[in-house]
Structures are given as structure tokens and as C-alpha cells.
Amino acid sequence: MHFTSERRLDDGVLEREFILGEIPGILWTPEFAFTPAPLILVGHPGGLHMMYPRLAARARHAAAAGYAAATIELPGSGDRPRSSAAEQARADLRRALEAGEPVNDEIVDRLVLPLVDKAVPEWRAALDGLLALPDIRGPVGLSGGVIAIGIRLAVVEPRISAALLFAGSFVPRSMFDEARRVTIPLQVLLQWDDEGNDRQQALDLFDAFGSKEKTLHANMGGHTGVPQFEGDDGNRFFVRHLT
Amino acid sequence: MHFTSERRLDDGVLEREFILGEIPGILWTPEFAFTPAPLILVGHPGGLHMMYPRLAARARHAAAAGYAAATIELPGSGDRPRSSAAEQARADLRRALEAGEPVNDEIVDRLVLPLVDKAVPEWRAALDGLLALPDIRGPVGLSGGVIAIGIRLAVVEPRISAALLFAGSFVPRSMFDEARRVTIPLQVLLQWDDEGNDRQQALDLFDAFGSKEKTLHANMGGHTGVPQFEGDDGNRFFVRHLT
């Protein structure tokens, strides 16, 4: 992992771009912290450049509460090489959605399972690199992104102590068994009228999580309509569990 | 409405018992407020004496955030005269629950509808008296209690600007139509494994509310297991909507 750029944002946050092997990533740290900051991994659906404004806003919000935040590009997104199988699955999904058809399990499996298998080891490698930096420490929180990646990470990565998940993307049926094995504290966001997400499946997934401490926050509106106050609530969730 | 007792609690809260006609009630106000405090009506299932410790804790929590809080006894509870019809309905409900039978709509209607019809005008009369006091002002928030009373109050009482409802008691089917007419901001608490509350009905009720701004907070555990942090979250909900 090496840094490729560094700049100071106007609210006392240091933003550094890095490369981990061939994977680009961004790290935000509170510039004036006296002690190493606990880390929040900031998830996204893929495409760092396109997602940058929203990611940076979430990271700066976390930094204002004393957290470092970091993210890496997903396999097959942004400037990373495309996989023809993933592109085909994505096209099939788009076709089903545009035709107003139910999205069948086979498409979801084809789209999400290989993504989870590839992404999770990369996020764990990023954790190795990030936690080796002098200004970052555990425990680690996970915030948002492709929920299936979050589920797998919560199961396999013991350094992640709490997760704020967004029930806003497709979850392969086989991952409900993994959800039952999640035991860390969870806060799950659900947009009640999310265009691309089945409400009942999201409620079933929340029910399936094995965590004793889990909270569902359902709000009105579509996929991108998460209310601003959920940002503060997310910080408070991490304060409860990462300190 | 006249006060019958007054005492200062150790955290700067003034607690006054009052009588409104023949209905006992309690008012808590922040003692050192410089301006009139916005009011939160604190609901409960009936039985002021038995509920006092929890009610006082909620009221003091609200007072710490600058709110006045008040409650009155429900019809047929505490020291108020019993209604034989309500006692019969309560006994039938208990019998059904103890036998592990589904609680049929007829029992719920018999138990809840007369209670709502009697209680709602009383809470409105209490509002008249409370808002006439020099140290209390609107807007008014409603917090918890029998959810069917909360639904009716939210529909008919324009002085109530926001409601924090607890989906923890039976709701007559006919009140789903009233729920659709609620338009004030809502925060709805749901205990995922509430012994005395049907989860799917609670989710259907949340869906039915007509409010554009509504948030569901579902937490693990049974009826009395609402996590402490929901108290702070409730205050923040009222800060967003009563100021």
C-alpha cells in the first residue's frame, strides 16, 4: 500500500489517495487527532470517482466525530479491469428491472457471489495496510456499501466490531445462512420504498442476522433518500460500539 | 386543573401532581428554564402509581433536554372507577394470551375502542389546562402509551406536532383507516420479539401511516426491552420537530 496524493480539506481532514497492489483507495483522517483514530470502512456500490462526493461527505462526517475513514474500489468497477461475466450479469439485471420483471435468484447469484468472493479478501488486505499506519487503530466499523460484501466481512473478519448496513442491494439466498452467523452489533438502514430492493426480503434479512444487538431504521422514500439525520445516528452507533 | 403536590427532584426538575376534574396527572418541568418549555405528553398503559418509576425516568430525560412532560391516568386504571365492560374485555384478552390463542379482533375492539373514545377527550382537556400554564408552550409532542390513543390524538388534535409511538399494544383493524389520516412526523418503536404484539401487524401499521416523514426503529428483545439509547434518539426526534 502506498500513497499517491495528499491534500488538506477545509474542515481539518487529511485526504490521501493510495494504491494497494492494483486497487485504488482513499483514506480520510482527522488532521488534528492526538491519538490514533478508530477506523470506519466506507462501502459503496462501485465506482470511486462517481461516488466520490457522497463518500467524501460520509468520511468527513465520520472524521468530525473523530474517526478515520477509508474505502477501496470494487473489483470490475471504476478504473479496474472489467469481468465479462459480471458485465453480462449486470446487463441481465438491468434488462429485468427495465422490463419490470422480478429479478430471479440466478441473476443475483451470478452478479453478487463472485463480487463478494473477490472483494472481501481485498478489503481485508486493505485493513492490514491501514491498521499498520501510525494514526489509525482498531476497533473497526463497517459502513454501507454492497450489503452482501458487508455480511461476508462481518462473518470472516474479526477486526470488524460493528456494522452499519444499508439494505439497498440484492442478497443471494445462500447468504441468508451467512447472515445467521453474524454476531457483531448491527444497525440496518432500510428505505421503505426502495425501487431496487424488495422490502420483505430486507425485513427477512434483518430477522436472519444472528446478532443479539441489532437495530433496524426504516425511513420513507427511495434508494437515495436516506435522511441526513441517519448520518449522526450512524456516528452514535459507532460511538457506542467502537469505544 | 389544580395542583395537589409539588416537589423538587434532585436533577433540577419540578414535579407537580394535579387533578383535572377527577383525573389525576403529573407534570414535570425543568426548574431553571428561562422561557416556557415545549411540552411532551407521556403515554402509558394505565396505572400511574405502578408506572411511576418508568414515567418519571422518561420525563426527567425529556426535562434534561429542555422539555416539560406531563401525563394523566387512563379511564378505568389506577384509582379511577373501573368499567365492567373493560374489565371483562381485559380478562378475555388475558385468557386468550395465557391459552396461547390468537387474540381475535372482537376482543381487541371491545378492549381498545371504548378506551380510545374516553381517553382522547381527556388528554385534549389536559392539553387545554397545561398550555394555559405560564411555563409551558407548544408545539406539543406525544410519546408512547397505548398506540391506538396516540393514533386518534395525532389525527384529531392539531396542537400535537410530532409523535413517538410504541408499536407495543393491540390496534383495532378499524383504526388502520385513522392511521392513514395521520400526517405529522412519526418515529415508531418496535420490539422485534414483543410477546404481546404481532410483528407483521406492527409493520403493516407503520406502512399505513399517512405521514411523509416517518421512521421505524426496530430493536431486539421483548416488550420491556427497549434499549436505553432510544431515549436519546426520542429526544433528538422531538428536537427536530418541536423547535
Side-chain angles (χ1 to χ4, degrees):
Chain A
M1 172 185 234
H2 65 272
F3 291 108
T4 56
S5 79
E6 170 176 319
R7 65 182 183 125
R8 285 174 171 71
L9 308 180
D10 51 17
D11 47 4
V13 175
L14 184 64
E15 178 180 279
R16 284 173 279 182
E17 295 187 299
F18 62 82
I19 292 280
L20 174 84
E22 294 179 344
I23 308 165
I26 314 176
L27 169 65
W28 295 268
T29 45
E31 203 179 353
F32 301 112
F34 294 107
T35 54
L39 177 65
I40 294 176
L41 295 176
V42 180
H44 56 84
L48 276 194
H49 285 304
M50 200 182 68
M51 293 298 297
Y52 175 82
R54 272 188 278 171
L55 290 168
R58 286 162 63 200
R60 292 162 85 153
H61 198 86
Y67 296 102
T71 191
I72 56 172
E73 185 59 275
L74 293 187
S77 287
D79 299 331
R80 298 188 61 189
R82 296 288 178 275
S83 128
S84 58
E87 292 299 296
Q88 184 60 51
R90 215 176 284 211
D92 292 345
L93 173 69
R94 203 160 29 229
R95 202 171 304 130
L97 288 175
E98 281 167 5
E101 292 165 11
V103 177
N104 70 47
D105 291 350
E106 183 272 329
I107 296 179
V108 173
D109 286 355
R110 220 163 9 101
L111 182 70
V112 180
L113 292 178
L115 177 67
V116 172
D117 288 341
K118 276 183 221 152
V120 166
E122 295 177 353
W123 285 79
R124 301 188 73 185
L127 260 190
D128 295 340
L130 291 161
L131 290 173
L133 298 172
D135 45 353
I136 294 179
R137 65 172 175 88
V140 177
L142 173 67
S143 172
V146 175
I147 192 167
I149 296 176
I151 294 169
R152 174 76 54 83
L153 273 171
V155 171
V156 301
E157 178 48 70
R159 291 173 291 186
I160 295 179
S161 300
L164 178 68
L165 301 175
F166 181 28
S169 54
F170 298 97
V171 178
R173 297 265 158 209
S174 62
M175 292 209 67
F176 275 66
D177 286 328
E178 290 188 54
R180 288 186 186 90
R181 289 161 49 206
V182 174
T183 57
I184 58 172
L186 297 180
Q187 189 151 296
V188 180
L189 294 178
L190 169 63
Q191 286 300 100
W192 202 246
D193 300 302
D194 196 325
E195 317 77 83
N197 186 34
D198 184 82
R199 187 195 299 161
Q200 190 56 53
Q201 201 204 33
L203 292 167
D204 292 345
L205 180 64
F206 177 71
D207 191 47
F209 283 120
S211 309
K212 281 206 191 78
E213 201 162 344
K214 55 181 175 179
T215 299
L216 177 74
H217 282 193
N219 288 287
M220 290 306 98
H223 189 77
T224 57
V226 178
Q228 276 224 303
F229 58 78
E230 289 291 355
D232 294 320
D233 251 30
N235 276 352
R236 281 187 290 264
F237 167 74
F238 286 124
V239 166
R240 286 203 300 277
H241 298 292
L242 300 187
T243 44
Chain B
M1 171 184 232
H2 65 271
F3 292 107
T4 56
S5 79
E6 170 176 321
R7 64 181 184 126
R8 284 175 171 71
L9 308 180
D10 52 17
D11 47 3
V13 175
L14 184 66
E15 179 181 278
R16 283 172 280 182
E17 295 186 299
F18 61 82
I19 292 280
L20 174 83
E22 295 178 343
I23 307 165
I26 313 175
L27 169 64
W28 295 267
T29 45
E31 202 179 353
F32 302 112
F34 294 106
T35 54
L39 176 66
I40 293 175
L41 295 176
V42 180
H44 57 83
L48 275 194
H49 286 305
M50 199 183 68
M51 293 299 297
Y52 174 81
R54 270 188 280 171
L55 290 168
R58 286 161 62 198
R60 292 162 85 152
H61 198 86
Y67 296 101
T71 191
I72 56 172
E73 186 58 277
L74 293 188
S77 289
D79 299 331
R80 299 188 61 188
R82 295 289 178 276
S83 129
S84 58
E87 292 299 297
Q88 184 59 54
R90 217 178 283 211
D92 293 345
L93 174 69
R94 204 163 28 229
R95 202 172 304 130
L97 287 175
E98 280 166 6
E101 292 166 9
V103 176
N104 70 47
D105 291 350
E106 184 272 330
I107 297 180
V108 173
D109 285 356
R110 221 163 9 102
L111 182 71
V112 180
L113 291 178
L115 177 67
V116 172
D117 287 342
K118 278 183 218 149
V120 166
E122 296 178 353
W123 286 78
R124 302 188 71 186
L127 260 190
D128 293 342
L130 291 161
L131 289 173
L133 298 172
D135 46 352
I136 293 179
R137 64 172 175 87
V140 177
L142 173 68
S143 172
V146 176
I147 191 167
I149 296 176
I151 293 169
R152 174 77 55 83
L153 272 171
V155 171
V156 301
E157 178 47 72
R159 291 173 293 186
I160 295 179
S161 302
L164 179 68
L165 301 176
F166 181 28
S169 54
F170 298 96
V171 178
R173 297 265 159 209
S174 62
M175 292 209 67
F176 275 67
D177 286 329
E178 290 189 55
R180 286 187 187 89
R181 288 159 51 205
V182 173
T183 57
I184 59 172
L186 298 179
Q187 189 152 298
V188 180
L189 292 178
L190 169 64
Q191 286 300 99
W192 202 246
D193 300 302
D194 197 325
E195 317 76 83
N197 185 34
D198 183 83
R199 186 195 301 161
Q200 189 57 53
Q201 200 204 33
L203 291 168
D204 292 345
L205 179 64
F206 177 72
D207 191 47
F209 284 120
S211 308
K212 280 205 191 78
E213 202 162 344
K214 55 181 175 179
T215 299
L216 177 75
H217 283 193
N219 288 288
M220 290 307 96
H223 189 76
T224 58
V226 178
Q228 276 224 303
F229 59 75
E230 289 292 354
D232 295 319
D233 251 29
N235 276 352
R236 281 186 290 264
F237 168 73
F238 286 124
V239 165
R240 286 202 300 276
H241 297 292
L242 300 186
T243 44

